[in-house]
């Protein structure tokens, strides 16, 4: 994008003392043009890729919009949303994402308004001081995927909202809580920056809320003069600038905190000189910054010359997508490889119902054999195993629902309080007895093999639930310890770390586990009763939070009073069920598949172009497709679960270009693809 300088002689060159170089800036424009209107009191602002400026006016309670020459275009006092026309009451904070969607925090409404470039917008957020609510908003930001970040000053946390306006999660610090956060921003890799006023420290977080970098005590460096930091601008390449209220100077740092230069000063107002600078902002698509000068009620826009490139990439994100489901409220669910789902219903635990899919149409029911079914698991042959707490035994049935055998009372240390079971790939059945503190193992033939753990040989005292991953590793929720252990089949812990749900604020008591499961990708999903959140962890060497969603307040992700969580392993559908089946929320767990790789070959057979490729080993991939851009959007023209495509002749006799994509269970809306030129490939 070319930028037309309005002041050809206003190039500002800054060379830091003691440095052999300095970042250069061009003054582009001052807006509004001319002299300030005294009746206006401007505060929050942002600007788009056309350099149109949006300014909140505290006097008129409107948002004034100016063009790239500083001329008034229009004023915004209403926003059309999917729920109707919303009149602005007191807009105070603005942000613009890379898609040119405008975000408005209206202090009078206590809500965020999202206004896209075209079409109706959204209104979201709930006013209040509790978790999942917003108040005392100091700064807002939005990333390229339209996630909105809201800095809550009094709560000292950043609240995160999904693109559809639902409250997702929060970030409240690192290993200790934020002390005095005053400004936030997002770079092109969708990393979140948080400026702490005390000691001028900038924390950086990835899309999962994990700390990726800390630029600590920036104001104490000898080459830096920051006395009173008041605002921060983040550039697309990851560089950031901190505005100092005392000197009027903005110091620029790169992503890892190396000083790049300074711009601006206090004095007689002119290009790069301010009377009372109060806010600085960055542009989402270009190396542009803007500074609001309260003394003139104007904004100066400056261009960063020759900015560096960003080496970071935005990783694909996991998502919980709310879906409708006719599945009755569940107590436990086991999905078998034969396509059947065996369910213990929450309102009737005297039977097991087998479903062919996720509808409410059952294939068969096991009735009259059970009195208090509490858990269920299935093996690779489609047989299923049920714990009946009434008799403290495990009952085995075949894939038609015919009773085969039971076990648990034949051993010397009989089952006393069986609560959970899993079936390993090896066929072994593993059962947790909570009151005894034992975890037992039986063979696939129902022959007792061994005690895996007991209070005498393990730290596990109160195993409430067990799960197993693709490597037959066992995960144990110890209710007494309020943590999840990773345990091998031999009974010893396989990781030094334990998984604790996160606390509301770092350093406080961990959240309380409500339930958990392990999915086919070996990700651990934990329901945190304290925060009413689902937390998703990867656990290689230690548990790492990859995604979280939920809050105690009402809404799509209002998950309070959840009692049990379960997953359909055949399609990654997640069910959260309330006490005694009072409600059930269903979510599709959206999994980003990896990019296809390896050699691709072609052949023409019987007039068809055959494409051959090597399948990925990732369990996240269940299908492959050829993606073609249609008139409105990309669509999958060819799809296969195998390792080849047969591409038929196109009637339009035109050259067609495709992207080779991998797809997950959930038909993830942004499949990873590998594109290549196809000009040299003959049409069949």
């Amino acid at each position: 994008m070319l930028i037309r300088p309005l002041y050809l002689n206003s190039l500002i060159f800054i060379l830091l003392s003691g440095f052999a170089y300095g970042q250069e800036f061009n003054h582009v424009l001052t807006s509004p043009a001319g002299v300030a209107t005294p009746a206006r009191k401007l505060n929050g602002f942002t600007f788009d890729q056309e350099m149109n400026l949006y300014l909140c006016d505290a006097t008129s309670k409107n948002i004034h919009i100016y063009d790239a020459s500083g001329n008034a275009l229009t004023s915004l006092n209403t926003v059309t949303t999917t729920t109707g026309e919303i009149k602005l009451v007191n807009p105070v904070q603005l942000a613009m994402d890379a898609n040119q969607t405008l975000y408005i925090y209206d202090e009078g409404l206590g809500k965020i308004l999202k206004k896209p470039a075209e079409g109706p917008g959204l209104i979201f957020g709930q006013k209040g001081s509790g978790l999942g609510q917003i108040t005392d908003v100091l700064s807002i930001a939005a990333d390229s995927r339209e996630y909105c970040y809201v800095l809550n000053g009094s709560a000292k946390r950043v609240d995160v909202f999904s693109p559809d306006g639902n409250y997702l999660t929060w970030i409240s610090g690192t290993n200790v809580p934020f002390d005095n956060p005053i400004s936030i921003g997002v770079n092109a890799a969708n990393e979140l920056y948080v400026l702490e006023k005390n000691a001028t420290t900038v924390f950086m977080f990835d899309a999962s809320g994990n700390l990726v970098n800390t630029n600590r005590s920036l104001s104490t460096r000898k080459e830096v003069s920051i006395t009173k930091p008041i605002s921060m601008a983040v550039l697309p390449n990851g560089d950031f600038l901190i505005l100092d209220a005392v000197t009027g100077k903005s110091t620029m740092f790169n992503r890892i905190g190396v000083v790049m230069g300074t711009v601006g000063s206090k004095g007689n107002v002119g290009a790069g000189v301010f009377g009372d600078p109060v806010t600085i902002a960055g542009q989402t698509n270009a190396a542009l910054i803007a500074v609001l000068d309260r003394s003139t009620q104007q904004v100066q826009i400056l261009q960063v010359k020759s900015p560096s490139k960003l080496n970071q990439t935005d990783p694909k994100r996991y998502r919980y997508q709310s879906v409708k489901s006719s599945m009755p409220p569940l107590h436990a669910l086991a999905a078998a490889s034969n396509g059947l789902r065996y369910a213990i219903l929450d309102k009737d635990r005297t039977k097991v119902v087998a479903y062919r899919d996720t509808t409410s149409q059952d294939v068969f029911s096991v009735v009259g054999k059970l009195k208090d079914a509490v858990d269920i698991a299935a093996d690779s042959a489609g047989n299923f195993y049920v714990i009946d707490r009434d008799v403290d035994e495990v009952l085995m049935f075949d894939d038609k629902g015919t009773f085969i055998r039971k076990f648990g009372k034949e051993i010397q240390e009989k089952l006393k309080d069986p609560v959970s079971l899993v079936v390993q790939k090896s066929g072994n059945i593993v059962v947790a007895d909570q009151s005894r503190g034992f975890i037992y193992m039986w063979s696939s033939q129902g022959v007792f093999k061994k005690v895996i753990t007991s209070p005498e040989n393990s730290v596990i005292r109160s195993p409430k639930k067990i799960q197993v991953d693709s490597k037959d590793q066992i995960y144990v929720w110890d209710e007494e310890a309020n943590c999840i252990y990773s345990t091998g089949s031999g009974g010893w812990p396989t990781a030094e770390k334990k998984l604790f749900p996160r606390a509301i604020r770092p350093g406080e008591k961990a959240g309380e586990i409500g339930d958990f499961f392990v999915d086919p990708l070996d990700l651990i999903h934990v329901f945190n009763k304290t925060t009413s959140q689902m937390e998703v962890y990867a656990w290689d060497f230690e548990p790492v939070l990859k995604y979280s969603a939920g809050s105690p307040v009402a809404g799509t992700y209002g998950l309070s009073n959840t009692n049990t969580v379960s997953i359909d392993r055949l399609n990654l559908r997640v069910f959260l069920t309330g006490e005694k089946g009072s409600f059930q929320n269903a979510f599709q767990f959206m999994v980003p598949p990896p990019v296809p790789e390896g050699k691709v070959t072609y052949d023409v057979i019987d007039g068809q172009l055959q494409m051959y490729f090597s399948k990925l080993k990732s369990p996240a991939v269940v299908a492959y497709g050829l993606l073609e851009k249609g008139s409105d959007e990309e669509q999958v023209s060819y799809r296969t679960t195998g390792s080849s495509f047969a591409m038929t002749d196109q009637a339009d006799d035109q050259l067609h270009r495709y992207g080779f994509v991998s797809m997950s269970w959930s038909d993830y809306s942004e499949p990873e693809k590998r594109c290549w030129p196809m000009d040299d490939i003959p049409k069949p």
Side-chain angles (χ1 to χ4, degrees):
M1 177 179 67
L2 295 175
I3 299 174
R4 176 171 60 89
L6 299 185
Y7 303 88
L8 298 179
N9 62 348
S10 59
L11 177 67
I12 302 172
F13 179 79
I14 305 296
L15 182 62
L16 283 179
S17 175
F19 280 71
Y21 63 91
Q23 176 63 57
E24 297 179 10
F25 298 82
N26 282 331
H27 180 277
V28 179
L29 68 92
T30 297
S31 182
V35 296
T37 304
R40 291 180 177 174
K41 184 180 179 183
L42 306 178
N43 42 42
F45 76 95
T46 189
F47 56 116
D48 62 24
Q49 63 184 5
E50 302 299 328
M51 288 210 302
N52 296 315
L53 183 67
Y54 300 73
L55 281 159
C56 293
D57 180 5
T59 303
S60 67
K61 311 299 185 185
N62 291 342
I63 298 172
H64 303 302
I65 306 175
Y66 300 86
D67 66 16
S69 297
N71 300 314
L73 286 176
T74 186
S75 292
L76 183 69
N77 55 24
T78 60
V79 175
T80 302
T81 71
T82 53
T83 55
E85 199 85 0
I86 306 298
K87 181 175 175 56
L88 299 179
V89 177
N90 186 22
V92 295
Q93 297 290 346
L94 300 178
M96 184 79 65
D97 69 22
N99 306 310
Q100 305 308 291
T101 296
L102 176 66
Y103 299 79
I104 306 163
Y105 171 65
D106 190 303
E107 190 174 52
L109 296 172
K111 293 183 178 295
I112 306 289
L113 292 106
K114 178 179 177 180
K115 186 182 185 302
E118 296 180 359
L122 293 172
I123 181 168
F124 57 89
Q126 181 175 332
K127 190 172 184 178
S129 58
L131 190 63
Q133 300 174 321
I134 55 175
T135 188
D136 189 24
V137 174
L138 302 182
S139 178
I140 64 174
D143 66 25
S144 64
R145 298 186 184 275
E146 301 189 3
Y147 288 79
C148 181
Y149 304 85
V150 180
L151 175 56
N152 186 325
S154 57
K156 300 180 181 180
R157 68 168 185 256
V158 179
D159 293 304
V160 186
F161 293 84
S162 68
D164 55 5
N166 287 301
Y167 185 85
L168 270 185
T169 188
W170 76 97
I171 299 169
S172 57
T174 56
N175 58 333
V176 295
F178 291 137
D179 183 30
N180 189 12
I182 59 172
S183 186
I184 60 174
V186 178
N187 67 16
N190 294 335
E191 293 175 320
L192 174 70
Y193 292 53
V194 180
L195 170 61
E196 277 265 25
K197 184 176 182 179
N198 300 343
T200 316
T201 296
V202 174
F203 299 103
M204 297 170 55
F205 301 87
D206 64 16
S208 300
N210 296 306
L211 183 71
V212 294
N213 195 26
T214 301
N215 296 304
R216 195 175 298 278
S217 303
L218 297 173
S219 61
T220 62
R221 301 182 182 184
K222 63 179 181 180
E223 71 274 13
V224 174
S225 177
I226 301 176
T227 304
K228 186 180 179 182
I230 54 173
S231 186
M232 174 181 64
V234 178
L235 300 178
N237 68 350
D239 296 344
F240 60 96
L241 296 95
I242 297 175
L243 173 62
D244 179 49
V246 175
T247 63
K249 183 186 299 184
S250 295
T251 304
M252 182 173 174
F253 303 86
N254 69 8
R255 184 176 176 276
I256 59 173
V258 176
V259 180
M260 306 297 290
T262 63
V263 63
S265 62
K266 271 191 175 182
N268 296 325
V269 176
V273 183
F274 310 97
D276 185 16
V278 291
T279 309
I280 187 171
Q283 219 269 357
T284 54
N285 291 323
L288 294 167
I289 61 170
V291 179
L292 173 62
D293 190 336
R294 185 161 50 194
S295 69
T296 61
Q297 295 290 291
Q298 291 175 305
V299 172
Q300 291 191 37
I301 297 180
L302 308 172
Q303 179 187 31
V304 181
K305 292 190 64 178
S306 305
S308 60
K309 293 183 178 180
L310 178 68
N311 295 322
Q312 306 301 117
T313 58
D314 177 28
K316 292 290 185 178
R317 307 184 188 190
Y318 299 109
R319 291 208 310 268
Y320 268 29
Q321 182 70 42
S322 179
V323 294
K324 293 182 179 179
S325 174
S326 55
M327 179 70 80
L330 298 166
H331 179 77
L333 178 70
S337 57
N338 60 6
L340 290 178
R341 284 85 169 172
Y342 304 115
I344 301 172
L345 303 184
D346 205 68
K347 291 186 176 181
D348 186 1
R349 286 160 44 177
T350 64
K351 66 179 182 180
V352 170
V353 183
Y355 298 98
R356 175 59 59 186
D357 51 31
T358 57
T359 69
S360 58
Q361 299 299 313
D362 61 293
V363 179
F364 64 81
S365 296
V366 174
V367 182
K369 298 288 186 180
L370 303 162
K371 291 187 178 181
D372 187 16
V374 295
D375 202 12
I376 191 166
D379 63 23
S380 58
N383 303 312
F384 60 97
Y385 305 79
V386 185
I387 291 177
D388 189 341
R389 284 284 294 276
D390 185 69
V391 294
D392 292 330
E393 288 186 291
V394 177
L395 283 69
M396 177 182 177
F397 302 85
D398 68 14
D399 59 354
K400 302 294 190 299
T402 303
F403 174 75
I404 298 177
R405 68 173 69 93
K406 60 182 178 179
F407 50 87
K409 292 293 189 184
E410 78 286 359
I411 58 177
Q412 183 176 358
E413 294 288 342
K414 298 179 176 62
L415 289 177
K416 178 182 178 183
D417 184 26
V419 291
S420 182
L421 82 165
V422 294
V423 179
Q424 297 180 310
K425 281 188 173 181
S426 60
N428 293 327
I429 300 98
V430 181
V431 182
D433 188 311
Q434 186 172 12
S435 63
R436 288 190 184 278
F438 279 58
I439 298 178
Y440 302 92
M441 178 183 288
W442 280 263
S443 73
S444 58
Q445 302 302 314
V447 177
F448 179 73
K449 296 185 71 172
K450 64 178 179 177
V451 173
I452 297 178
T453 67
S454 71
E456 286 71 35
N457 69 4
S458 170
V459 295
I460 299 170
R461 295 291 183 269
S462 178
K464 175 73 172 180
K465 187 174 183 177
I466 56 176
Q467 292 281 276
V468 67
D469 67 13
S470 62
K471 306 176 187 66
D472 275 353
Q473 184 160 281
I474 303 168
Y475 297 85
V476 184
W477 165 22
D478 187 322
E479 188 174 38
E480 183 179 306
N482 186 44
C483 70
I484 295 172
Y485 293 99
S486 174
T487 305
S489 297
W492 55 87
T494 57
E496 292 184 9
K497 299 286 186 179
K498 297 171 282 189
L499 193 161
F500 291 97
R502 66 178 185 149
I504 293 178
R505 288 170 60 82
E508 295 181 352
K509 183 180 178 181
E512 181 184 355
I513 299 174
D515 200 358
F516 90 108
F517 61 79
V518 176
D519 71 22
L521 300 175
D522 295 344
L523 296 170
I524 299 99
H525 301 237
V526 182
F527 179 67
N528 185 332
K529 288 179 67 175
T530 304
T531 63
S532 297
Q533 281 214 316
M534 285 297 294
E535 302 172 357
V536 181
Y537 294 85
W539 196 343
D540 292 324
F541 302 104
E542 63 180 11
V544 176
L545 182 68
K546 307 299 290 185
Y547 175 79
S548 59
S551 76
V553 300
T556 301
Y557 296 101
L559 307 180
S560 61
N561 300 317
T562 294
N563 187 51
T564 60
V565 298
S566 50
I567 184 171
D568 184 336
R569 297 176 65 87
L570 299 180
N571 60 13
L572 294 192
R573 186 154 292 185
V574 177
F575 300 94
L576 285 76
T577 309
E579 187 75 38
K580 297 182 179 179
S582 56
F583 66 86
Q584 182 160 276
N585 294 318
F587 297 92
Q588 182 65 55
F589 183 43
M590 308 293 278
V591 178
V595 178
E597 56 187 18
K599 187 176 181 181
V600 176
T601 59
Y602 303 91
D603 197 2
V604 177
I605 301 175
D606 296 331
Q608 290 185 323
L609 179 63
Q610 302 286 330
M611 172 182 161
Y612 303 95
F613 58 90
S614 298
K615 297 174 71 174
L616 293 167
K617 295 182 179 180
S618 170
V621 178
V622 296
Y624 300 86
L626 292 180
L627 201 67
E628 184 177 16
K629 187 171 181 59
S631 56
D632 296 324
E633 57 185 15
E634 292 180 326
Q635 57 187 8
V636 177
S637 298
Y638 298 93
R639 182 188 180 105
T640 182
T641 56
S643 57
S644 66
F645 293 102
M647 304 167 65
T648 57
D649 192 10
Q650 300 287 341
D652 56 14
D653 200 35
Q654 298 293 316
L655 180 68
H656 290 260
R657 296 176 180 272
Y658 299 92
F660 179 29
V661 303
S662 58
M663 309 179 79
S664 74
W665 292 269
S666 51
D667 288 340
Y668 193 75
S669 59
E670 300 170 55
E672 289 288 1
K673 60 184 175 181
R674 195 186 81 189
C675 297
W676 62 93
M678 299 186 71
D679 302 78
D680 56 341
I681 300 175
K683 289 189 63 179

